[in-house]
Amino acid sequence: MNNDQAIWTSVDAYFNNLLIASDHALDAALTDCVEADIPLHNLAANQGQLIALLIRMHQSKTVLEIGTQAGYSAIWIARALSDEGRVVSLEIDPKRAEVARNSIKRAGLADKVEIITGAAADTLPLLAAEGYAPFDFIFIDADKPSNPIYLEWALKLSRPGSIIFADNVVRNGAVTDFNSDDPNVQGVQLFTELVAKEPRLSATTIQTVGEKGYDGFLLAIVQA
Ligand code: DHB
Ligand code: MG
């Protein structure tokens, strides 16, 4: 761990202790994630709070999450919604989906969150066909090489005013390595270039440091 990382972690701890209440359901979701041998690719607590604040500010009612993982972010998202709000979350791995469903149920949010198991590239077209769209807020946090496909579907499943929010677009700074042969880096590079070229999107990125290292989000709004 470099020295910067130690500072970032202690600053996260300082602000999180002040601003973010400790929470049994979220802690248990992470414990179950570790016990099930699922990689800890969850948002940090302050990042969960960020997505919750964005959803509340935007007054989103329908949220699509691409990449449930262990359900940690879905808990933050579902809690940020009003009573009628709903989350649809897509997860390729049945084990992760099961752990997530259990954590979401324990958090008392089972009625608000529907997890659909399968490769998002296959389930996204079903959402379109089955009348789920438009979504007010779309969180892209799955396999990064597929980000360009997820962007295409996010646009199809959105409306003017929808928000698109994507995790892990900085990748410890590797996003500016144009010789990278890492498919994750190539995925976020192409994704960002497609966002830039898309006249329906107005976007920025937010670089983040903290307990999760150096990474960042892309935040975009769909416009007419
Ligand atoms: C990875 C994926 C994530 O969504 C994340 O937040 C961190 C890491 C990964 O695949 O390495
Ligand atoms: Mg992520």
Side-chain angles (χ1 to χ4, degrees):
M1 200 182 354
N2 66 33
N3 185 48
D4 287 343
Q5 180 60 63
I7 293 168
W8 301 339
T9 301
S10 64
V11 171
D12 257 4
Y14 169 69
F15 284 123
N16 289 352
N17 286 335
L18 282 173
L19 299 175
I20 301 180
S22 70
D23 185 289
H24 173 69
L26 288 168
D27 292 346
L30 294 184
T31 305
D32 285 4
C33 180
V34 172
E35 276 176 12
D37 227 1
I38 298 169
L40 273 170
H41 290 160
N42 57 286
L43 297 177
N46 51 0
Q47 297 173 332
Q49 179 79 302
L50 172 63
I51 197 168
L53 288 167
L54 289 171
I55 285 168
R56 289 171 64 190
M57 287 189 282
H58 185 246
Q59 298 182 290
S60 309
K61 291 193 166 41
T62 52
V63 179
L64 170 62
E65 176 178 63
I66 305 174
T68 314
Q69 209 251 4
Y72 182 86
S73 46
I75 293 173
W76 276 104
I77 292 167
R79 284 177 173 170
L81 296 171
S82 59
D83 284 347
E84 70 268 39
R86 292 291 177 269
V87 187
V88 175
S89 187
L90 309 181
E91 175 51 52
I92 191 169
D93 177 5
K95 181 176 87 173
R96 293 182 193 190
E98 188 195 326
V99 170
R101 281 193 192 100
N102 184 51
S103 290
I104 288 161
K105 188 172 169 206
R106 180 172 46 214
L109 298 165
D111 292 346
K112 292 186 112 141
V113 184
E114 178 181 0
I115 297 174
I116 300 177
T117 308
D122 299 330
T123 54
L124 285 163
L126 300 178
L127 294 183
E130 289 172 15
Y132 282 86
F135 291 96
D136 301 326
F137 192 104
I138 299 168
F139 180 41
I140 301 175
D141 190 19
D143 58 309
K144 313 312 166 191
S146 299
N147 266 22
I149 296 166
Y150 300 151
L151 176 65
E152 194 182 317
W153 280 103
L155 284 162
K156 284 185 186 151
L157 298 171
S158 63
R159 54 160 176 88
S162 294
I163 301 295
I164 297 174
F165 193 56
D167 193 19
N168 311 115
V169 301
V170 174
R171 315 203 63 80
N172 208 26
V175 70
T176 57
D177 177 2
F178 302 107
N179 298 315
S180 176
D181 54 12
D182 179 343
N184 297 308
V185 172
Q186 292 174 349
V188 298
Q189 287 171 336
L190 180 55
F191 170 73
T192 310
E193 287 156 24
L194 292 168
V195 169
K197 275 197 284 201
E198 174 53 62
R200 283 172 291 172
L201 292 175
S202 179
T204 192
T205 52
I206 305 162
Q207 297 193 62
T208 57
V209 295
E211 64 182 56
K212 291 281 173 180
Y214 171 35
D215 213 329
F217 298 101
L218 184 138
L219 173 64
I221 189 163
V222 180
Q223 53 201 8

